[in-house]
Amino acid sequence: MNTYRMKNHKALLFFFFSMLISAQAQQDLKVGLILSGGGAKGIAHVGVLKEIERAGVRIDYIGGTSMGAIVGGLYACGYTASQLKEMLATTNLTDVINDKFDRDVMSFDAKEDASRYAITLPIVKGRIQFPLSLSKGQHVYDMFVQLMHEQRNTQDFSKLPIPFYCVATDINTGEKTVLDKGYLPLAVNASSALPTLFSPVQVEDRMLIDGGIVDNYPIDEMLSKGMDVIIGVDVQTNISSTDETSTLSGVLSRIASFQTQKQMASKKAKTQIYIRPELDAFNILSFDNQKEIMSQGVLAGKKARPQLLALAKNQQPRGKEQKEIPPSFQLDRLLVGTTPNYKANYLQGKLRLKSKNIYSFRKLKEGMSNLAATQNFDAFRYTLKTENGKEVLKMTPPETKHTTLFRGSLHYDKLVGALALVNLTKKHAFLKNDEFSLDIMLGAYFQYALSYFIDKGEFWSVGLSAKQHQFDTTAPVSLNTDQLAINKPTNTRVLVQKNTWYVQTLFREEVVLGVGLAHEHNVFKTNIFDTQTDRFLYADNADYYSALGYLKVDTRDDKFYPKKGGFFDGDINYYFSENSSREDINFTPFLIAKANMGATLPLNSKYTLMFSTSGGFTVGDATSSAFDYAFGGYGNAPVLNYQTFIGLPQQHVVGDSFVKAETTVDYELTPNHHLKMMLNAGIVSDDIFKTGQWKSGIDYYSAGMAYGLETFAGPLELTAAYSPQFGRLLFHVNIGWQF
């Protein structure tokens, strides 16, 4: 068809549409709006709605699928297009969809796990499986509950400010389910539960997923609503596009569109005003392109403006009041059901909500995040509505079926070299509230970390741990035998085994206090050969027994690249017994104490100032240099009493006491890319607190610059640093989470 014929065709359609309007001019035309699914492309619906409002068209009924259900449901609640645009602009949709939990809602163990394992996969019937979905959709649901709160008691969706319905797919039967009654947030959540992206949603006795599987343009239901004119906004993937097959999201989008696209010819014929934004450059996960997508919606709406204006002239205007997003809610009753392994008081403790109070929705989200972050539950849904004149929050979260997990990570630093970490975690191994975990670290030497923990929440919990570290070092060691007296850097193979029994209690998720008993087996085998005994000398080869106590506080929003918060990590170890094969050792009890604390100060959106200070000392004779503090290296996980210090080689200098200060300025070049400027200063020697040496001046200082990249496997950092005490530029490389 040439350009002339196309123009005549469009003019003819507009003529017949105008004749339809004229024929019905004596009546107030009722207008139905259909919003298709399309993932991120559905953001264009907001742009079209802005133009519909500008033209003065009154919408009398809305039907939607998936993203169309989300936009349509919110519009039906009374929000304006401008408000929807503002919501999108102020919400990080990627974080919401991915269920990214703020670090402050995680338990201490969960925080450590999040900074330890790159991947977590369920084990089902002895086989590692990939999860059914990328997200459980908890944050999405929490958002719906808040935004739709004013309509919480509207069980019949035809009674909303604008009547509404949406469609979902029954995962068990494959049949279309029309949702026009019930709890609105739950209905919209079910309609938009895209397979592989979100978990299925249970609505009464049905398990539902995205309605786009069976009907991505639900116009047939609208035909029975008595509407005179139907406006349809189509943001579906064009199945003729070959570009869409190059990405996973594109393939998913095409799969979801196959059935409905075949029906679009007849559906389009039933639509009086058909609007299709140009969105082929985007896919269903293009949430970072919301401005561009919305502008395409606006442009498509402007193209339909003559039809919209003609329609508006034959309607009675209806003002649309701007609804405020509710900031808080009244909670009269909290009804939390008991699950097989977790009692109601455990769930209530995580929620931190009590009846007969007013709470912000932020507080509600934090409570739900506390529960979700435990990973003890699958995606759970709740209702917040009025029952018998009381505002009631009702929920019974379903326990996760995946109680056995495989986890893994990779790491490299100068001290331990390259390591691959594999982990097996089993929840409810012996008791309802326990967890067994085994780390195997594969590298130059065999290493492991085993733990068993019985979680009592805010009460005293009980734990057992067993760890083994093994590596080579050139740290200065002290040897004092009848034949030799040596105190110098020496090639040494280190084997450290530590077994601990402890009890601890939590004060919220940020503070943990614990005490325990420990057994340590330390082997420091040097490369110094003693011809008198015909064997290599050991700097240490003994078993030690100790009592310990610790206090940890962590309010940082990220362990490696924080923008706010602080931390404190302090412990005391009293060594009361020793067992050694060396007859020349005269053991006496000794005490080792150390602490590390720091804070983060955001300077602006790009710059962050971090500073920390640490110190430690020994009371009594520690018997072995294995317990000395050592300066040097960067990026390795804490081992023994080794302290990182940029610009110095690993364990460059040792002593039985130390003080250290660090200052770092972090500049975020672009998201996930960091440039850090660092200063270190410290003193390490023997008895610095007894002699007052710690007041006399700095023995070691250094400056450095690092490039850091945040990856799913942890940080990747390259650091160049210089210390005058070492005398030359030194590079540190760190890859992956520390473990």
Side-chain angles (χ1 to χ4, degrees), residues 545-722:
Y545 303 89
S546 64
L548 57 93
Y550 55 88
L551 174 65
K552 299 180 181 181
V553 182
D554 192 350
T555 62
R556 294 170 293 181
D557 59 347
D558 188 87
K559 184 175 181 179
F560 294 95
Y561 301 104
K563 294 192 177 293
K564 62 180 181 179
F567 70 93
F568 175 88
D569 188 354
D571 62 76
I572 297 175
N573 292 264
Y574 176 69
Y575 292 84
F576 56 82
S577 183
E578 179 261 2
N579 182 23
S580 175
S581 60
R582 288 176 55 181
E583 297 180 354
D584 59 316
I585 293 181
N586 183 21
F587 177 83
T588 58
F590 61 94
L591 180 146
I592 293 178
K594 61 181 181 291
N596 184 22
M597 66 185 78
T600 303
L601 178 65
L603 302 178
N604 54 38
S605 61
K606 290 288 187 179
Y607 285 93
T608 303
L609 175 65
M610 295 173 281
F611 54 90
S612 66
T613 183
S614 54
F617 59 88
T618 303
V619 179
D621 185 3
T623 306
S624 167
S625 60
F627 296 99
D628 282 345
Y629 299 100
F631 275 8
Y634 179 71
N636 56 272
V639 179
L640 295 169
N641 290 321
Y642 295 167
Q643 306 294 315
T644 59
F645 201 99
I646 60 171
L648 295 179
Q650 296 284 346
Q651 299 83 56
H652 182 67
V653 60
V654 300
D656 69 4
S657 49
F658 83 100
V659 291
K660 187 182 75 168
E662 299 181 42
T663 301
T664 300
V665 177
D666 180 10
Y667 173 64
E668 190 172 19
L669 297 164
T670 59
N672 301 323
H673 294 265
H674 299 260
L675 185 65
K676 298 199 300 184
M677 293 147 279
M678 299 175 286
L679 295 173
N680 282 192
I683 305 168
V684 58
S685 189
D686 292 338
D687 300 323
I688 64 172
F689 295 102
K690 290 182 181 180
T691 62
Q693 182 182 350
W694 69 280
K695 299 179 182 179
S696 61
I698 299 171
D699 290 341
Y700 296 90
Y701 52 89
S702 62
M705 182 171 289
Y707 164 77
L709 173 65
E710 297 181 69
T711 74
F712 81 97
L716 187 157
E717 287 194 341
L718 176 62
T719 305
Y722 178 81

Side-chain angles (χ1 to χ4, degrees), residues 108-109 453 502-514 550-554 568 570:
F108 253 88
D109 289 341
F453 188 68
Y502 61 94
V503 295
Q504 69 177 37
T505 186
L506 293 173
F507 301 94
R508 302 176 64 88
E509 271 68 35
E510 297 87 1
V511 184
V512 62
L513 172 68
Y550 55 88
L551 174 65
K552 299 180 181 181
V553 182
D554 192 350
F568 175 88

